[in-house]
Amino acid sequence: DGGITQSPKYLFRKEGQNVTLSCEQNLNHDAMYWYRQDPGQGLRLIYYSQIVNDFQKGDIAEGYSVSREKKESFPLTVTSAQKNPTAFYLCASSMTGGHIETQYFGPGTRLLVL
Amino acid sequence: GDSVTQMEGPVTLSEEAFLTINCTYTATGYPSLFWYVQYPGEGLQLLLKATKADDKGSNKGFEATYRKETTSFHLEKGSVQVSDSAVYFCALSVIQGGGKLIFGQGTELSVKP
């Protein structure tokens, strides 16, 4: 079955620690996205990538970093500079990143701060 | 800037009631419009979409029509079921946006038997 997998489902971060959230897709999609969801709010874009080895900042990129070394993988690192990291993180992909395309979402990773 | 506004929730309905969730948008040009649904603890799934004015998206009994004159994309269903209980998000994507989705805040729907 084609789809998007995210791991882990829950992640705990200590003060001053960097953590990395995994996102893998086997849909052969070029474009991938990371969104953050806070309670009672819509999703906000952190980073996106339309092609391997290239990515752009979204609306709330501060305190986050990404890489896109392989088409199927788009890991997100939450750095110690992100002062309020507790949220639900969702990864998505679409075929080419066009504005009419459907984005397919993974099941999400919930990040909690210890 | 581009934005989406949804009616606030939670919305509580009895089974077989009629559902409307209002969504209005502000955008440059002609965006594509989407409704996504999120079940508890899960990611989002596309419910329906419309990519140009007057298009009607439909799926699983849900419908929404892209109204350019009122900048709206209201979600409707004639008879809701308990299994429709979820959070519904209206979203848009603009041509110059790199495929980025701009979301409303979400509307929680609870359907009682």
Side-chain angles (χ1 to χ4, degrees), chain B residues 72-91:
Chain B
S72 65
F73 193 53
H74 305 320
L75 182 68
E76 296 182 336
K77 187 175 185 183
S79 176
V80 294
Q81 305 300 313
V82 172
S83 58
D84 293 326
S85 298
V87 180
Y88 292 81
F89 291 94
C90 185

Side-chain angles (χ1 to χ4, degrees), chain B residues 12-61:
Chain B
T12 302
L13 295 173
S14 298
E15 206 164 22
E16 299 184 2
F18 184 85
L19 168 71
T20 299
I21 300 178
N22 290 337
C23 171
T24 57
Y25 68 88
T26 301
T28 52
Y30 300 98
S32 294
L33 301 172
F34 304 82
W35 276 101
Y36 281 85
V37 59
Q38 184 178 36
Y39 297 100
E42 298 184 7
L44 276 67
Q45 303 172 25
L46 178 72
L47 184 58
L48 52 84
K49 70 180 185 182
T51 59
K52 60 183 188 296
D54 301 324
D55 269 1
K56 177 188 281 189
S58 61
N59 186 26
K60 299 180 183 178

